[in-house]
Amino acid sequence: MKARLRKAWESRSPRERAVLSALAVVLAAALYVGLVQSAGRARAQLRSSVPTLRAQAARLEQQAAELERMRSAPAISASQTDLRTLLQAQAGAAGLSRALVRIDAQDADQVVAVFGAVAFADWLNWITGLKSQHVRLDACRIEALSTPGLVSATATLVRPKPK
């Protein structure tokens, strides 16, 4: 193959060799310019994506730290106290016992609490405070009353099953 190319090159006249050499130089220069421009565009795109990637990396590191913190936290152990009794005590501590109409236990780890006229902010604070007892809101229905700020609420509250 190499010998055939050498023979074809040597069979060309000096003028044809000069033209082919000039074309090869022009083609190489055009190729080089095209590659440099393409690399410049790619570099600009990468430069613009660096802040976004850094923010994503920081967010991932933060989430990884949170995951490690949660994994190292002691396992949730359900209180031996009856959930119904626990919720009555928490409602009393929050000053909501007068608004509490009834608490029906569905099972040991699920309770339906019904409030008559209760201030929404107080009820919401009570629900938020139950997180420390590992009790979460599973479902609820809230209806606004004619008095501003008062609602009637029916909430299904659950806690994790003991392991």
Side-chain angles (χ1 to χ4, degrees):
M1 176 84 168
K2 193 174 180 182
R4 283 179 41 197
L5 286 175
R6 181 179 290 282
K7 187 176 178 182
W9 178 255
E10 289 174 355
S11 69
R12 303 281 178 220
S13 68
R15 184 175 182 167
E16 286 179 329
R17 287 183 199 169
V19 169
L20 286 174
S21 297
L23 284 174
V25 168
V26 168
L27 182 62
L31 184 61
Y32 177 76
V33 168
L35 289 173
V36 167
Q37 285 180 345
S38 176
R41 282 191 301 268
R43 185 176 181 189
Q45 282 181 328
L46 290 173
R47 184 175 289 154
S48 68
S49 68
V50 167
T52 303
L53 292 172
R54 283 188 178 148
Q56 287 175 349
R59 192 169 39 251
L60 283 174
E61 287 176 6
Q62 182 182 19
Q63 289 173 349
E66 177 70 13
L67 179 62
E68 286 302 315
R69 185 189 65 77
M70 291 178 79
R71 282 186 178 165
S72 66
I76 297 173
S77 60
S79 171
Q80 298 302 323
T81 309
D82 179 40
L83 182 58
R84 184 175 189 273
T85 307
L86 175 69
L87 292 180
Q88 284 178 331
Q90 292 295 317
L96 301 178
S97 55
R98 283 186 286 137
L100 186 60
V101 176
R102 71 177 190 273
I103 296 181
D104 299 324
Q106 303 296 316
D107 62 34
D109 296 312
Q110 183 175 1
V111 171
V112 176
V114 179
F115 288 88
V118 63
F120 179 70
D122 294 341
W123 180 82
L124 194 58
N125 288 334
W126 178 69
I127 292 293
T128 304
L130 291 175
K131 285 183 184 178
S132 66
Q133 302 295 322
H134 305 293
V135 177
R136 69 176 178 82
L137 182 63
D138 188 47
C140 78
R141 184 182 53 118
I142 301 172
E143 295 178 11
L145 299 177
S146 59
T147 306
L150 292 182
V151 295
S152 67
T154 302
T156 303
L157 300 152
V158 296
R159 69 174 165 189
K161 305 263 187 222
K163 293 180 181 177

